[in-house]
Amino acid sequence: LRQQLSSRRYYQRPDQDYLRLDPSRTSLSGWTGGFGLSKVSGRHWLWYVESGFESPGLELNDAGRISTADGRFHGAGITYRETVPGRRYRSYFVSLNTNGEWNLDNDRQGLNARLNGGVTWRNQWQTELSLSSAFRSQDMRLTRGGPSMGTPASWTAVAVMRSNFAAAQQWSARVYYQRTELGGRTYRLSGGLTIRPGSRWLLSASPNYFRAINPQQYVGAIADSAATATYGTRYLFGRIEQSEWSVPIRFNYAFTPDLTLELFLQPFIASGRFDRFGELSAPRAMRIRVYGEAPGTSADSTDASGTSWFTADGATVTIARRDFNRVSFRSNVVLRWEWRPGSTLFVVWQQNRDEAGERGEPVRIPDLLRGLRASGNQFFAVKVTYWIAG
């Protein structure tokens, strides 16, 4: 029963008639398959086509991994490349591909088209640009087991720059931007810097900033017989504005080839603020019915704890505060000594600090240091392996 109700398949969805929830069932059976054909050699033109399917009852997590079942997917792509160096470049490529997925009830779960291009310059630096578009689709998982819900069209652009991989000092930079027809926005700035001052040293940092506005964030569900359009349940959503900062840092030093010290630090901060709460108006709808704006609804009050009360069609809807802030700081220090071939001593010190709140304020770079003052736990271990010669 848990497998039927899980997010991998949601047999209980009320708006479908091709699956049957059976509490007495003691096993699941399913099938999967696929087909692919590709051209991977040649100077200029490469291409591929592929298709596959998974039945709703497919369950592989005992032996492998499957995140979702119930789907038919198709894809195709073509690439033009030049590998003979020119005056300003060593190589370049341009590719166009498309991918789509439908469930076994023929509801489109996603369809996108993407144009990619990249250049490797004479100094071995690389530049890549990607432009993609996703079309309106359905998502049978947005309501967490309720009816299918529409997803908006979106447009995405990604730009990447990288330095020479073989250089002692390496860097990379990536910019990601996405917007949707419902006003959703996603911004991500990330990069990396690796410095090798000598053969014994390595220092690297990979900062990452993320900010997103999602007008379709699931909040919860409440039973209400008056909500006849959505099968006696109100599926609640809100708009969330999220922000995150993360800076993983690594430091490695080799005293000798057999004695090394490795240090890893990761300060992390995140926040989320909710507003514009509402409900799914009907199965397969894309826009939510915002409380206080849609006819027949009102936004009544919010108390000091952040709990809000709304009225929808004469019924009272209560939503607890969802805003959050989280700060964490994780670190590992590992001393490794191989005192004889195959015999090694590890000394490990690990700490994990974290703090949570409900302010929902956008994060700032100075907040990364707050994790050092947060409470947490520490872990110390010594491991020894000894090789017995044969």
Side-chain angles (χ1 to χ4, degrees):
L1 178 60
R2 286 195 302 269
Q3 294 294 345
Q4 294 177 75
L5 298 175
S6 78
S7 60
R8 290 184 289 277
R9 45 191 61 86
Y10 285 138
Y11 275 31
Q12 72 273 32
R13 298 197 322 271
D15 62 328
Q16 55 83 24
D17 56 10
Y18 68 104
L19 299 173
R20 184 174 63 89
L21 180 66
D22 182 2
S24 65
R25 181 177 286 150
T26 58
S27 65
L28 286 176
S29 60
W31 36 267
T32 182
F35 169 82
L37 184 64
S38 60
K39 180 177 183 292
V40 297
S41 65
R43 177 179 173 183
H44 290 307
W45 292 101
L46 312 175
W47 52 264
Y48 74 92
V49 291
E50 62 182 7
S51 184
F53 49 85
E54 298 169 342
S55 73
L58 182 67
E59 177 54 47
L60 298 179
N61 285 320
D62 290 335
R65 180 178 181 274
I66 182 171
S67 57
T68 61
D70 189 3
R72 296 180 291 106
F73 55 90
H74 311 284
I78 187 169
T79 298
Y80 179 86
R81 67 179 183 178
E82 178 56 79
T83 57
V84 176
R87 292 181 56 190
R88 295 184 175 86
Y89 63 84
R90 289 185 177 273
S91 63
Y92 68 85
F93 75 92
V94 179
S95 66
L96 177 65
N97 57 67
T98 180
N99 294 278
E101 181 175 359
W102 289 256
N103 63 19
L104 267 63
D105 205 25
N106 212 35
D107 289 331
R108 187 169 70 201
Q109 300 296 295
L111 179 62
N112 65 75
R114 183 173 61 180
L115 176 66
N116 283 0
V119 180
T120 299
W121 305 101
R122 296 289 296 184
N123 59 0
Q124 294 287 6
W125 288 16
Q126 296 179 359
T127 303
E128 294 183 14
L129 179 63
S130 172
L131 302 173
S132 62
S133 177
F135 300 90
R136 286 184 179 182
S137 300
Q138 289 289 308
D139 191 328
M140 60 185 180
R141 296 176 177 86
L142 269 183
T143 58
R144 311 303 195 267
S148 181
M149 184 174 181
T151 56
S154 65
W155 302 265
T156 304
V158 183
V160 180
M161 284 285 293
R162 300 188 189 94
S163 67
N164 186 351
F165 282 111
Q169 283 73 42
Q170 304 169 19
W171 59 265
S172 65
R174 182 176 185 268
V175 179
Y176 176 100
Y177 173 73
Q178 182 187 75
R179 66 185 180 91
T180 75
E181 63 177 308
L182 293 182
R185 296 286 191 276
T186 301
Y187 311 84
R188 186 183 290 276
L189 302 175
S190 58
L193 176 65
T194 299
I195 301 174
R196 293 183 176 87
S199 60
R200 298 173 181 262
W201 299 78
L202 185 145
L203 176 64
S204 68
S206 305
N208 182 73
Y209 172 69
F210 168 81
R211 181 173 178 269
I213 299 173
N214 179 9
Q216 288 183 313
Q217 178 60 53
Y218 178 80
V219 172
I222 55 175
D224 187 345
S225 59
T228 56
T230 50
Y231 307 97
T233 300
R234 297 188 186 275
Y235 298 94
L236 308 179
F237 290 82
R239 190 185 79 149
I240 182 174
E241 182 175 351
Q242 297 172 266
S243 59
E244 292 180 6
W245 267 107
S246 175
V247 187
I249 299 172
R250 295 183 183 275
F251 169 77
N252 296 342
Y253 182 75
F255 299 96
T256 69
D258 301 322
L259 179 61
T260 61
L261 178 68
E262 299 178 6
L263 172 65
F264 172 76
L265 308 172
Q266 187 180 33
F268 172 82
I269 50 177
S271 71
R273 175 176 293 174
F274 283 82
D275 60 10
R276 292 180 58 81
F277 291 102
E279 64 182 53
L280 179 67
S281 59
R284 307 178 68 82
M286 182 178 67
R287 299 179 184 274
I288 66 171
R289 186 185 181 203
V290 179
Y291 296 144
E293 298 180 10
T297 70
S298 64
D300 300 333
S301 62
T302 301
D303 65 15
S305 70
T307 299
S308 300
W309 285 267
F310 305 94
T311 299
D313 306 319
T316 299
V317 177
T318 304
I319 300 178
R321 183 170 189 164
R322 302 283 173 154
D323 299 345
F324 65 87
N325 282 77
R326 181 166 290 276
V327 176
S328 75
F329 181 84
R330 297 179 179 179
S331 65
N332 296 304
V333 180
V334 179
L335 180 69
R336 178 185 180 275
W337 178 34
E338 188 174 3
W339 77 86
R340 55 176 291 180
S343 300
T344 310
L345 168 70
F346 294 92
V347 181
V348 181
W349 174 39
Q350 180 186 78
Q351 64 172 331
N352 185 7
R353 301 177 180 271
D354 118 27
E355 179 182 276
E358 297 181 339
R359 298 185 308 275
E361 300 169 352
V363 297
R364 303 171 302 163
I365 294 181
D367 294 333
L368 285 168
L369 300 178
R370 287 173 46 202
L372 293 170
R373 303 189 300 269
S375 60
N377 56 69
Q378 301 191 48
F379 175 84
F380 181 78
V382 177
K383 176 184 176 182
V384 179
T385 60
Y386 182 76
W387 180 267
I388 300 174

